[in-house]
Amino acid sequence: MLHDDDLKALLEARHPDPFAVLGLHADADGDLWINALLPGATAVVLHDTRTGRRVAGLLERAGFEGSGFFETLLPRRRNAFDYRLKVRW
């Protein structure tokens, strides 16, 4: 999960390396998370590019509603994979 300080820095356009925290990343426990900053989006769904299947829906971070920051934990995945986001604006 992205730390609130990193998220605040992203939203204020002062994060030194946004690509280090956006996209698909493993946390300290090896769990995969997907983070996306999509201002104006109302819904985001993650799809596996290889299979085309829906993997998970992303949720807006609690306490940051309306910011356009969406995230989700991918509990059954341990390895990075190619993905696409389906975004509803």
Side-chain angles (χ1 to χ4, degrees), residues 59-70:
L59 300 174
E60 252 189 316
R61 168 80 66 91
F64 291 89
E65 291 85 356
S67 69
F69 180 76
F70 292 82

Side-chain angles (χ1 to χ4, degrees), residues 36-66:
L37 185 57
L38 301 161
T42 59
V44 182
V45 177
L46 176 72
H47 290 266
D48 185 314
T49 300
R50 186 177 57 80
T51 65
R53 287 189 166 150
R54 179 187 191 278
V55 175
L58 282 69
L59 300 174
E60 252 189 316
R61 168 80 66 91
F64 291 89
E65 291 85 356

